[in-house]
Amino acid sequence: MARVYNFSAGPSMLPYSVLEKAKNELPEYSLTGQSVMEMSHRSKEYLGIIESCERKFRALLGIDNNYSVLFLQGGAWTQFAMIPMNLMTVNGKADFILSGNWAEKAYTEASRFGTASIVASSKQDNYKYIPKIDTSYLDINADYMHICLNNTIYGTAFSDVPESVVPLVADASSMILSRRLDISKFGIVYAGAQKNMGIAGLVVVVIRKDLLERSADDLPMMFSYKVQNESSSMFNTPPTYSIYIMSLMLDWIMDEVGGLENMSERNNEKAYILYDYLDESKLFKGTVAKDSRSLMNICFITGNENLDKQFCFEAEKSGMPNLAGHRLVGGIRASIYNAMPVEGVRKLRDFMKAFEKEHA
Ligand SMILES: *Cc1c(COP(=O)(O)O)cnc(C)c1O
């Protein structure tokens, strides 16, 4: 069967050349006579892989030495708890901006560890836009402020990083490496790898080094940023193969795409192929405010639930699976992360046009 254009929200598609490279190296990596899957994580060869992965990640995002990069497990979900466990330790409180379901989960998990306050929210309007932040609500004594940069389920994104006097903590799971991000504005940026930079099993945490001092000594070892940092993400066996695939993804962004600027331009182009069409279509309508549009997850509806379902069904038959919206919101969602080629998006747009003609 021919490969499809997979519009899944995550895990999501990988570039074909990354899969080919992984396939060629699967039984024998370099001249080691073994697969990466079989390697000791402490071997010289594997240390080469994880160190090069970190080096390339730092280079692409311009991360300086004030920050540590940790390769952890448990997905973004575990970070929802690990962040308050480690950081909510000065005044026992933190501020949260609710811009979607994942932001809400981060808030709920944090409230198990201290006082979590909602300082802005668009929940009352079904998260159709990024809420405006009234800085007079922000607590200067909060231990940190948490935001979710791209709201995967609703299809909205922050266009600018909000100002914050306390350390800003950001869930970047569904936008990491899709465009530039000024890491120096953040205390922590974390992201699961399975959307924009690889496969499941790996979550990357970028943390400003002074914040490592907040981790209490009596934390369970695996949940301490300080312990993880001191052991260079090797406190226990790290997700070795997921880190290897991330390293291949970084090579792809650097060598084939030509860097983060090009990646960003390509992602803009892809998103606007769909948004431009949505703006003129008489059948399909975007579901979020224009100034809050995500470049990664594009959500739309026909206004008729059965027609939405028929659309997803027929698109799948044409080699474009996983277009159904998240179960919380329904409708249609095209997730077009880094690995989705421009041709895949054009094919979807042309398919939408034909569907519109047929159902006008
Ligand atoms: C997918 C996603 C998550 C959940 O990630 P897991 O790896 O399943 O824990 C959290 N936040 C955002 C923004 C996501 O897109």
Side-chain angles (χ1 to χ4, degrees):
M1 186 184 171
R3 279 187 50 84
V4 296
Y5 290 118
N6 178 8
F7 288 91
S8 166
S12 51
M13 65 183 295
L14 292 169
Y16 193 66
S17 62
V18 165
L19 293 170
E20 284 264 278
K21 183 100 199 280
K23 171 181 147 188
N24 291 336
E25 293 182 337
L26 185 83
E28 189 179 340
Y29 176 77
S30 189
L31 293 172
T32 61
Q34 40 183 314
S35 172
V36 174
M37 295 184 206
E38 303 170 303
M39 257 177 215
S40 161
H41 56 295
R42 306 203 185 270
S43 64
K44 175 165 93 326
E45 291 78 16
Y46 191 76
L47 290 179
I49 292 173
I50 193 171
E51 281 163 17
S52 123
C53 186
E54 178 173 343
R55 197 172 350 98
K56 290 177 286 195
F57 182 70
R58 281 182 180 276
L60 278 169
L61 282 170
I63 303 172
D64 67 30
N65 272 328
N66 288 330
Y67 289 82
S68 285
V69 175
L70 307 176
F71 297 99
L72 307 179
Q73 302 190 48
W77 255 109
T78 300
Q79 294 310 307
F80 297 160
M82 206 165 154
I83 292 158
M85 282 168 96
N86 285 269
L87 256 55
M88 230 190 210
T89 45
V90 184
N91 294 318
K93 51 185 183 173
D95 284 347
F96 290 79
I97 295 172
L98 297 202
S99 56
N101 185 60
W102 295 117
E104 217 177 307
K105 300 294 182 212
Y107 159 76
T108 310
E109 287 294 273
S111 39
R112 300 174 196 277
F113 298 94
T115 307
S117 307
I118 299 168
V119 291
S121 173
S122 50
K123 185 171 182 165
Q124 66 282 4
D125 291 314
N126 274 323
Y127 293 125
K128 281 181 173 24
Y129 53 87
I130 296 292
K132 292 275 167 298
I133 298 163
D134 176 347
T135 48
S136 68
Y137 285 118
L138 305 185
D139 183 351
I140 55 165
N141 294 313
D143 289 339
Y144 63 91
M145 178 164 90
H146 183 278
I147 65 171
C148 180
L149 288 170
N150 183 81
N151 299 286
T152 323
I153 293 172
Y154 297 88
T156 63
F158 281 85
S159 46
D160 299 308
V161 178
E163 295 302 322
S164 175
V165 289
V166 301
L168 191 58
V169 173
D171 180 350
S173 294
S174 49
M175 62 72 70
I176 191 88
L177 292 172
S178 68
R179 56 181 161 90
R180 279 226 319 263
L181 190 63
D182 183 354
I183 297 289
S184 70
K185 292 191 165 157
F186 298 92
I188 291 183
V189 174
Y190 65 101
Q194 71 272 25
K195 283 151 191 167
N196 267 309
M197 58 180 185
I199 60 175
L202 170 65
V203 57
V204 178
V205 177
V206 183
I207 179 167
R208 215 174 61 209
K209 282 179 179 162
D210 62 290
L211 296 174
L212 293 165
E213 296 311 314
R214 289 199 193 174
S215 305
D217 289 335
D218 60 356
L219 277 179
M221 309 287 262
M222 279 295 287
F223 298 102
S224 163
Y225 288 134
K226 197 172 172 185
V227 169
Q228 293 286 2
N229 178 61
E230 280 165 1
S231 50
S232 305
S233 309
M234 295 262 184
F235 177 74
N236 75 330
T237 316
T240 51
Y241 200 74
S242 302
I243 292 167
Y244 160 74
I245 295 289
M246 175 172 159
S247 179
L248 296 186
M249 270 301 284
L250 299 176
D251 287 337
W252 176 78
I253 294 173
M254 284 174 148
D255 303 337
E256 286 185 54
V257 178
L260 206 51
E261 257 344 286
N262 287 4
M263 188 80 261
S264 173
E265 267 173 43
R266 188 194 283 202
N267 285 329
N268 267 318
E269 182 191 347
K270 276 153 47 184
Y272 278 91
I273 289 171
L274 293 179
Y275 284 131
D276 286 344
Y277 171 61
L278 286 175
D279 286 342
E280 70 180 43
S281 171
K282 300 235 162 17
L283 179 65
F284 297 103
K285 287 170 266 320
T287 53
V288 304
K290 283 191 183 178
D291 64 358
S292 299
R293 283 172 162 176
S294 163
L295 299 180
M296 298 283 102
N297 310 96
I298 289 141
C299 296
F300 51 96
I301 51 171
T302 61
N304 172 337
E305 276 178 38
N306 289 330
L307 204 55
D308 291 352
K309 287 204 179 84
Q310 189 186 338
F311 174 82
C312 296
F313 179 76
E314 289 182 15
E316 173 155 16
K317 279 199 300 187
S318 301
M320 292 176 284
N322 296 316
L323 279 160
H326 189 276
R327 61 196 146 75
L328 283 175
V329 294
I332 306 162
R333 169 177 58 172
S335 296
I336 52 172
Y337 301 120
N338 283 342
M340 172 61 69
V342 180
E343 302 78 71
V345 177
R346 285 207 195 100
K347 179 173 169 176
L348 174 61
R349 191 255 335 256
D350 294 344
F351 184 83
M352 290 166 73
K353 277 189 176 168
F355 191 89
E356 171 163 0
K357 229 178 191 169
E358 207 180 304
H359 295 274

